[in-house]
Amino acid sequence: MGLLSLGTPLDWHESKKHNEHVRDNGITQLINIFRQHYNRDNDKFLWGDEVEYMLIDLDKQSHTAKLAIDKDYVLDDLNDEAKSLPKAQENNVLFHPEYGRYMIEATPAKPYDGGKLEDYVYVEENMIKRRDLSTDELPPHIKPLTITAFPRMGCGNFTSPPAKPIGPASQSLFLPDEIINRHARFPTLTANIRKRKGHKVAMNLPMYPDKRTKLLDDSIPVNRQLFKSDVEPHIGASKPGHVYMDSMGFGMGSSCLQITMQCENINQARYLYDTLVPVAPILLSLTGAAPIFKGFLVDQDVRWNVICGAVDDRTFIEKAQEPYPNYHLFGGLDINEKENLQVNNHSVNAYGDLQDLYTKDGKPIQTIPKSRYGSVDNYLGDHKFDTSYFKDSFNDLNAPINSKVYKRLLNDKSGQFDKHLANHFAHLFIRDPLVIFSERIDQDNNLSNDHFENLQSTNWQTLRFKPPALYESDADGKVDFTNKPGWRVEFRPMEVQITDFENAAFSSFITLLSRAILKFKPNFYIPLSKVELNMTLAHKVDSVLNDKFWFKSMDSWNIDYHDFTGYDFSWFDRFLMEGNDVLEDGPVYLKGYASSASLAAMNGKTNGAATQAHSGQANGSVAASAKGCEGKTVEDVNDVDDFGIDQRYTLHEIINGDGKFPGLISLIIKLIATELVPESCKHCPDSNCARTLIRLKYYLMLISKRASGEIPTAAHWMRHKVLNNPAYQQDSKVTEEINYELMESVDNLTQMKDKELVTEFFGEVISDYLLRNKAPI
Ligand code: ADP
Ligand code: MG
Ligand code: MG
Ligand code: MG
């Protein structure tokens, strides 16, 4: 969550009068940010993660697991100087509010140093501290668990204490307003989305079809007459065979794992942002952890499209949809009804504007293909970086822009906004502000960036390009940038994982990959329409095992694959164990890497990860084998695009390499070997460094084995926990009892208490290590 402005949030019908004011001033603030920071250079590579927790009331007596909605005082305490703040500070931990009253977000208080090997493991220590500190504040039966979606969210009595779904903010048939953070911003956000849209949000997830599944969401009340909107599921909002959800909390009340990284300068940040765009759906698939919604097993593995729907504030006309009977095409937009309703057959211009249709403040009404929560719609372009791989044709999505903002940025006399940057921000600024605080309408545009952040932080995409804030300059008109965040890139698609070990592993993986990207400068650009297809694939059940994702053809990455030979998992062993580095033909090793003379001898080992995983699944817990790898080869005509530049790969190939080309893990291992281990060391110098490297090796192994299908994703594991529960009736329903047992298993896993469970989840190799080394130190 961004900054929590204090004050009085305006109701939509009041706030909409200020929309254009916020946009105009937001763009002025952006221009001022660029003036202040555009030429900033040589910032350190800093990074930080965000983990979101749910407070779960695990009642051993009644065998129930519920969302605790009365423990949000812990957040106040953890931020209170007189209470637990000092302890949090001592431990370099910071706690933040989130959408759900049962949620806590926690980050390191100070970002980590990307140049320090230890910090890639310290992240786990920091995460352990966060869990410990919040646990200390809570009664023993309340557990801060890192689950992506609470399985019985919206099922009758699912909160502790109980609350009824009769709240005016969401008007939900399932979620009480008491699940929403008490800060006025959050209920207002919920209500304003609904009021702008003119109807409630509606998410429909396909039910997981089992033998006795009724393919009918029987939890929808038939006759409630509390709000006018109660009728919506019966007039088009709910789809047969789907689980119907009608409130922001189903999406924004789920948890995720995000990583923010600071780049040297804006141009490096643009290249990193773009290069991570095609990685986003890959990591969504790999971190899949949400197979259950509203008490039903669903036919998908991730939360993403639920949040897209949960904050989708588009009106019927913007969605180009027929309104429900007696509902307004224009929702809560401020329009002159008489004039507008007389105009028919509106054509659409190049910006996506419906011609002749404007809100009262003169903003064109547009058709908008996607929700404001969604995957990236525009690359930023890398032509000012060393690479220059980007081509205009890669931005091939229909992403309408605010033409007024576009022209203003492009014509700004600073000349700092090229057409791709102007396009990026002009797309974000097609949206309306969702919450405006009455006290914050007039701002000093030289010092405040609130209006800019209002739009920026409510465009929730897979990546966020984070410009710096505005700072007061000294008497000479200069700003000291020391310790002031610079140009940052945030990676946002990942689902939160159950254990700190996994969350640390994925955090380090993304950060190391980003550093490897900046060092080796691969070309990962593919058209965004293909990234979009990948987002759809990433939702599918076990997409890791069954699907092939579009990715830049490995021979077009613009790196020499020979340079990565030897940088596989065996590098760790060679570097760690002196004496183990000399093969029979006596090659010279440098930092564990074989000289070219030894390549032949290395070959057997080089692609070990890929070969081993392809050969089948060591752990029986994953039912299907890595099907995507069987039969068809990547040369298959249907899997290559017209130009042969993009291909479809299994996640296994992308992560672990395809036998010839390195996968993402090799890039990372070479980065560690050549950038992060102490410069002068041919071998691991001491036991601290060894411990760190071993932990890192297991982080990478987790990702490697998940990608190969050797061990299950959290979603796969959870789904099978339900399917194999004796109380399960093969009807796709996750009852209170099943939910309790699942949450209890999650809690046990979190604490790594139960050997059988840990092995079932992590496989033999990783669990052997983890049970001996629960924490990194
Ligand atoms: P948001 O919710 O807006 O994404 P948060 O403050 O919750 O922002 O989290 C931002 C993350 O960025 C935290 O992990 C924090 O440690 C990290 N961070 C802070 N400053 C920097 C910086 N200069 N460079 C990179 N990361 C940073
Ligand atoms: Mg958050
Ligand atoms: Mg945050
Ligand atoms: Mg964030």
Side-chain angles (χ1 to χ4, degrees):
M1 275 288 145
L3 172 90
L4 264 192
S5 295
L6 292 172
T8 321
L10 298 177
D11 174 82
W12 168 252
H13 295 291
E14 189 50 40
S15 114
K16 66 186 173 186
K17 297 175 192 154
H18 306 286
N19 286 348
E20 205 58 0
H21 170 86
V22 171
R23 271 189 295 263
D24 285 345
N25 287 280
I27 290 298
T28 306
Q29 294 173 359
L30 175 68
I31 290 170
N32 288 338
I33 289 172
F34 268 65
R35 291 210 176 120
Q36 192 167 80
H37 296 274
Y38 188 78
N39 292 321
R40 186 171 166 169
D41 204 357
N42 298 321
D43 279 328
K44 236 177 153 175
F45 189 102
L46 301 176
W47 64 286
D49 68 283
E50 296 162 71
V51 173
E52 292 165 351
Y53 304 78
M54 292 192 192
L55 304 183
I56 307 287
D57 185 346
L58 210 54
D59 188 335
K60 287 196 182 340
Q61 256 91 53
S62 64
H63 272 212
T64 56
K66 298 191 173 173
L67 287 176
I69 53 172
D70 60 349
K71 302 289 181 277
D72 47 336
Y73 62 83
V74 298
L75 254 179
D76 297 331
D77 293 355
L78 286 162
N79 281 287
D80 186 339
E81 189 67 54
K83 294 184 176 159
S84 307
L85 181 64
K87 214 162 41 165
Q89 284 168 332
E90 265 165 46
N91 288 290
N92 188 28
V93 167
L94 198 59
F95 292 89
H96 314 253
E98 249 305 331
Y99 180 83
R101 201 175 288 182
Y102 54 88
M103 289 171 86
I104 294 181
E105 181 186 292
T107 63
K110 282 196 298 298
Y112 315 118
D113 179 349
K116 263 169 96 179
L117 182 69
E118 310 86 87
D119 276 12
Y120 293 95
V121 164
Y122 165 68
V123 54
E124 187 180 352
E125 261 177 81
N126 193 279
M127 286 174 178
I128 291 171
K129 278 283 177 248
R130 298 175 213 169
R131 213 187 277 271
D132 287 352
L133 286 175
S134 48
T135 302
D136 287 351
E137 301 289 315
L138 292 160
H141 58 104
I142 309 286
K143 317 278 185 180
L145 298 184
T146 38
I147 43 176
T148 295
F150 181 66
R152 283 184 58 83
M153 177 99 164
C155 300
N157 189 7
F158 72 98
T159 59
S160 157
K164 288 205 171 78
I166 51 172
S170 72
Q171 301 191 355
S172 173
L173 293 158
F174 314 103
L175 300 187
D177 279 357
E178 286 85 346
I179 64 140
I180 306 173
N181 189 309
R182 277 175 229 269
H183 187 290
R185 177 188 148 82
F186 296 95
T188 309
L189 187 58
T190 314
N192 283 4
I193 287 176
R194 181 172 48 71
K195 288 177 184 175
R196 182 189 190 282
K197 191 176 181 67
H199 52 291
K200 285 195 292 187
V201 297
M203 293 80 80
N204 285 281
L205 298 191
M207 278 179 198
Y208 181 74
D210 207 343
K211 280 196 191 113
R212 301 201 187 105
T213 307
K214 271 203 283 178
L215 290 179
L216 173 81
D217 185 346
D218 50 10
S219 67
I220 307 172
V222 184
N223 261 328
R224 193 174 89 163
Q225 292 178 0
L226 185 61
F227 302 109
K228 179 175 166 261
S229 62
D230 289 350
V231 71
E232 289 177 10
H234 313 293
I235 56 171
S238 92
K239 284 199 213 160
H242 289 67
V243 181
Y244 166 69
M245 291 170 280
D246 66 346
S247 178
M248 182 169 172
F250 284 107
M252 278 296 174
S254 57
S255 293
C256 68
L257 171 67
Q258 298 174 340
I259 310 299
T260 298
M261 293 160 287
Q262 175 168 284
C263 291
E264 263 179 33
N265 55 42
I266 181 173
N267 297 326
Q268 196 189 50
R270 289 172 73 169
Y271 165 68
L272 180 61
Y273 176 97
D274 282 4
T275 307
L276 288 175
V277 167
V279 176
I282 308 300
L283 267 288
L284 175 61
S285 164
L286 208 52
T287 56
I292 309 164
F293 283 87
K294 218 181 72 170
F296 289 93
L297 280 173
V298 291
D299 208 14
Q300 66 176 55
D301 271 359
V302 301
R303 81 204 186 285
W304 190 264
N305 60 356
V306 180
I307 320 187
C308 293
V311 290
D312 184 357
D313 65 342
R314 291 172 304 159
T315 59
F316 286 113
I317 190 153
E318 288 166 327
K319 288 190 286 179
Q321 261 177 20
E322 281 289 322
Y324 307 143
N326 302 319
Y327 271 65
H328 209 306
L329 191 58
F330 294 91
L333 294 181
D334 214 6
I335 53 158
N336 187 330
E337 274 194 38
K338 268 204 188 128
E339 266 178 35
N340 281 327
L341 295 178
Q342 282 162 5
V343 189
N344 289 316
N345 298 326
H346 304 284
S347 54
V348 180
N349 72 12
Y351 301 114
D353 307 344
L354 290 160
Q355 264 152 22
D356 307 325
L357 274 181
Y358 301 91
T359 50
K360 277 185 188 163
D361 55 12
K363 182 170 185 292
I365 294 174
Q366 303 177 298
T367 49
I368 307 177
K370 284 163 69 181
S371 162
R372 57 200 293 158
Y373 195 108
S375 40
V376 163
D377 287 316
N378 290 297
Y379 287 116
L380 300 173
D382 67 337
H383 58 285
K384 292 192 175 154
F385 189 60
D386 321 351
T387 44
S388 284
Y389 299 137
F390 176 74
K391 294 195 192 82
D392 283 9
S393 58
F394 293 141
N395 274 346
D396 64 343
L397 294 182
N398 170 11
I401 58 170
N402 181 328
S403 60
K404 181 175 155 192
V405 167
Y406 181 70
K407 288 173 196 160
R408 200 176 150 202
L409 291 177
L410 213 54
N411 295 331
D412 181 62
K413 56 182 185 301
S414 69
Q416 288 163 345
F417 296 91
D418 52 64
K419 67 177 184 181
H420 301 300
L421 272 183
N423 194 60
H424 166 77
F425 290 112
H427 175 59
L428 304 188
F429 273 66
I430 62 172
R431 312 288 175 178
D432 284 337
L434 289 172
V435 181
I436 298 173
F437 291 87
S438 61
E439 297 84 350
R440 302 285 305 144
I441 292 173
D442 293 314
Q443 299 176 8
D444 179 347
N445 291 336
N446 289 309
L447 282 180
S448 170
N449 64 349
D450 264 25
H451 285 325
F452 167 68
E453 281 294 327
N454 191 326
L455 273 305
Q456 155 93 346
S457 69
T458 54
N459 268 279
W460 297 276
Q461 302 199 330
T462 34
L463 272 295
R464 183 175 285 158
F465 181 61
K466 289 179 166 177
L470 277 168
Y471 300 99
E472 201 158 1
S473 42
D474 61 19
D476 306 332
K478 295 223 164 86
V479 178
D480 175 11
F481 292 136
T482 322
N483 295 330
K484 296 194 173 69
W487 297 97
R488 288 146 302 149
V489 172
E490 184 182 23
F491 189 77
R492 306 166 45 84
M494 294 191 287
E495 310 228 316
V496 78
Q497 305 295 292
I498 294 171
T499 62
D500 296 324
F501 172 78
E502 297 162 270
N503 285 315
F506 278 101
S507 302
S508 288
F509 176 81
I510 281 303
T511 313
L512 289 166
L513 176 65
S514 299
R515 296 226 27 189
I517 285 171
L518 294 178
K519 185 176 166 77
F520 304 119
K521 303 189 174 71
N523 179 359
F524 287 172
Y525 280 107
I526 57 174
L528 284 174
S529 55
K530 292 196 170 114
V531 178
E532 210 67 3
L533 289 173
N534 286 350
M535 285 301 286
T536 309
L537 286 176
H539 281 75
K540 290 172 64 179
V541 174
D542 290 334
S543 58
V544 176
L545 304 176
N546 304 324
D547 289 292
K548 284 184 166 190
F549 290 72
W550 285 103
F551 211 75
K552 190 77 163 186
S553 170
M554 290 187 186
D555 52 12
S556 306
W557 284 13
N558 197 35
I559 55 174
D560 183 348
Y561 67 89
H562 296 101
D563 291 348
F564 295 86
T565 309
Y567 292 110
D568 52 40
F569 282 102
S570 68
W571 173 83
F572 286 97
D573 302 329
R574 294 199 304 280
F575 187 70
L576 286 164
M577 282 179 252
E578 192 161 6
N580 189 27
D581 60 334
V582 183
L583 293 181
E584 280 168 14
D585 63 347
V588 177
Y589 276 79
L590 181 63
K591 292 184 181 171
Y593 169 64
S595 70
S596 54
S598 69
L599 285 183
M602 293 288 305
N603 268 348
K605 281 184 172 185
T606 303
N607 301 307
T611 331
Q612 164 229 332
H614 265 277
S615 67
Q617 314 218 328
N619 187 320
S621 64
V622 178
S625 66
K627 271 190 211 158
C629 315
E630 290 165 6
K632 281 187 186 175
T633 65
V634 288
E635 284 81 34
D636 192 297
V637 170
N638 295 327
D639 287 336
V640 183
D641 75 357
D642 293 346
F643 307 101
I645 297 167
D646 312 325
Q647 294 195 9
R648 293 181 67 189
Y649 295 102
T650 60
L651 255 67
H652 175 49
E653 289 163 326
I654 297 170
I655 301 286
N656 294 317
D658 73 346
K660 180 173 169 192
F661 293 101
L664 302 183
I665 286 187
S666 271
L667 266 58
I668 291 176
I669 294 179
K670 183 161 181 185
L671 175 95
I672 296 173
T674 55
E675 287 268 297
L676 292 173
V677 295
E679 187 108 1
S680 56
C681 296
K682 202 168 142 190
H683 289 292
C684 190
D686 56 52
S687 58
N688 276 342
C689 176
R691 250 197 305 274
T692 303
L693 282 174
I694 291 170
R695 195 84 180 170
L696 269 177
K697 175 176 142 183
Y698 280 97
Y699 290 167
L700 296 177
M701 207 183 271
L702 173 85
I703 285 149
S704 169
K705 286 178 187 291
R706 286 248 169 101
S708 72
E710 191 184 326
I711 60 172
T713 59
H716 183 100
W717 176 80
M718 287 171 107
R719 187 182 302 280
H720 285 265
K721 275 285 190 229
V722 173
L723 295 176
N724 296 327
N725 189 305
Y728 176 65
Q729 300 289 315
Q730 298 178 308
D731 56 358
S732 313
K733 290 199 174 167
V734 180
T735 59
E736 274 213 345
E737 177 69 22
I738 299 174
N739 181 49
Y740 170 74
E741 287 177 16
L742 185 60
M743 290 300 105
E744 203 187 30
S745 298
V746 166
D747 182 38
N748 284 338
L749 257 188
T750 309
Q751 300 177 43
M752 305 243 181
K753 273 205 308 216
D754 177 338
K755 183 171 176 211
E756 203 177 314
L757 202 61
V758 175
T759 310
E760 166 185 309
F761 191 63
F762 286 111
E764 296 280 347
V765 178
I766 300 176
S767 64
D768 272 1
Y769 165 77
L770 275 181
L771 291 164
R772 282 181 286 112
N773 302 276
K774 284 189 186 160
I777 47 161

